[in-house]
């Protein structure tokens, strides 16, 4: 195993990137400290030093994944706002963002009692859809419910299929 010195931030980024790749390749069960350590050229103890236990790692991976999904949502929304994409392409981009194991991971953590404290991931989508409604004075709660249903459908599609 080739080891090299990294800053703590570099090490954390490499560990989370490796964990995300394992998650995408093999699901939550594949995200193991030893497998991550091998991918990044660290010892198991080194990985644990930077991210803690496997449970800590999984929680941080959800946050990392949330940032990745948020970036994908922002990108898709920007293309849609600029006329470079249709609503269907926006929805397809959102679906693509969920494939990679994050829905499985988030569901598993939720079932174990963990709750996200993050911001509303799809709030920019809600705002844009509300702005584009034929009747923008309609209650925003209707748009929020529609986006929540879409979010659930896209997340569960990656788990259970269409």
């Amino acid at each position: 195993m080739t080891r090299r010195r990294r800053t703590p931030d570099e090490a954390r980024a490499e560990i989370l990137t490796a964990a995300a790749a394992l998650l995408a390749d093999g699901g939550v069960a594949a995200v193991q400290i030893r497998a991550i350590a091998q991918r990044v050229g660290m010892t198991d103890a080194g990985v644990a030093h930077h991210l803690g236990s496997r449970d800590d790692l999984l929680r941080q991976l959800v946050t990392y994944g949330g940032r990745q999904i948020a970036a994908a949502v922002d990108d898709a929304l920007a293309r849609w706002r600029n006329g470079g994409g249709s609503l269907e392409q926006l929805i397809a981009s959102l679906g693509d963002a969920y494939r990679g194991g994050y829905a499985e991971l988030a569901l598993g953590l939720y079932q174990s009692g963990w709750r996200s404290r993050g911001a509303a991931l799809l709030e920019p989508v809600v705002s844009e859809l509300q702005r584009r409604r034929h009747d923008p004075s309609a209650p925003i709660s209707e748009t929020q419910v529609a986006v929540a249903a879409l979010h659930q459908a896209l997340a569960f599609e990656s788990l259970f299929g269409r």
Side-chain angles (χ1 to χ4, degrees):
M1 175 183 324
T2 304
R3 296 221 233 137
R4 61 184 175 82
R5 298 206 44 77
R6 318 166 165 94
T7 68
D9 288 340
E10 289 171 337
R12 287 176 50 81
E14 285 182 39
I15 291 166
L16 287 170
T17 299
L22 288 166
L23 180 66
D25 292 344
V28 175
V31 182
Q32 299 294 326
I33 299 286
R34 178 157 293 154
I36 294 165
Q38 289 175 342
R39 281 194 179 216
V40 298
M42 289 182 161
T43 63
D44 297 4
V47 171
H49 169 76
H50 288 288
L51 291 181
S53 70
R54 181 172 186 266
D55 287 344
D56 294 334
L57 167 68
L58 293 177
R59 285 185 202 91
Q60 291 177 60
L61 187 55
V62 166
T63 301
Y64 174 84
R67 284 194 292 266
Q68 303 304 313
I69 292 170
V73 167
D74 288 347
D75 183 54
L77 193 55
R79 281 194 315 273
W80 189 48
R81 282 181 179 145
N82 295 327
S86 66
L87 180 58
E88 291 79 13
Q89 289 169 322
L90 172 65
I91 292 169
S93 293
L94 295 175
D96 289 344
Y98 288 103
R99 291 179 200 93
Y102 292 109
E104 176 190 0
L105 177 58
L107 181 60
L109 287 171
Y110 184 85
Q111 288 173 326
S112 72
W114 175 84
R115 298 295 180 266
S116 172
R117 297 187 193 342
L121 183 67
L122 297 176
E123 187 57 38
V125 175
V126 169
S127 296
E128 185 65 20
L129 287 171
Q130 183 70 15
R131 189 182 70 73
R132 291 181 182 219
R133 284 186 75 161
H134 293 294
D135 179 10
S137 66
I140 195 166
S141 61
E142 292 175 0
T143 306
Q144 290 168 326
V145 167
V147 170
L150 173 65
H151 173 260
Q152 234 176 357
L154 292 171
F156 284 137
E157 179 183 5
S158 70
L159 292 171
F160 305 113
R162 288 189 174 268

